[in-house]
């Protein structure tokens, strides 16, 4: 089954990934992304960990199975 991601979720993760790349990721940004992942997973009845894994793969351009 394909994991569904919202544009808002992708944008939040992109912002967090950019902060992380610049070594300035804050607890607030990380917490905001985690809360959004959890809320999205619950709202769409998807596994929270699968949502996070797919989100990171999409944003960081990882190949499936390399996380």
């Amino acid at each position: 089954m394909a994991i569904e991601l919202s544009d808002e979720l992708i944008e939040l993760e992109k912002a967090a990934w950019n902060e992380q790349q610049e070594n300035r990721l804050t607890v607030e940004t990380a917490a905001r992304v985690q809360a959004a992942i959890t809320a999205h997973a619950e709202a769409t009845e998807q596994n929270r960990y699968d949502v996070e894994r797919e989100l990171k793969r999409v944003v960081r351009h990882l190949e499936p199975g390399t996380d």
Side-chain angles (χ1 to χ4, degrees):
M1 176 170 88
I3 301 297
E4 298 174 22
L5 302 173
S6 69
D7 292 340
E8 178 184 359
L9 198 55
I10 292 169
E11 290 305 313
L12 280 172
E13 178 63 23
K14 282 181 181 179
W17 180 237
N18 287 336
E19 285 184 20
Q20 188 172 350
Q21 294 296 97
E22 296 169 358
N23 201 28
R24 60 179 186 86
L25 179 64
T26 64
V27 171
E28 292 80 14
T29 299
R32 198 166 35 249
V33 172
Q34 291 300 312
I37 289 169
T38 299
H40 178 78
E42 289 174 357
T44 58
E45 298 181 344
Q46 299 181 92
N47 180 286
R48 185 232 175 280
Y49 299 103
D50 291 342
V51 169
E52 183 173 8
R53 182 177 55 241
E54 180 65 6
L55 181 61
K56 288 182 179 183
R57 186 192 69 76
V58 167
V59 170
R60 300 175 188 192
H61 308 289
L62 301 173
E63 294 299 318
T66 61
D67 47 42

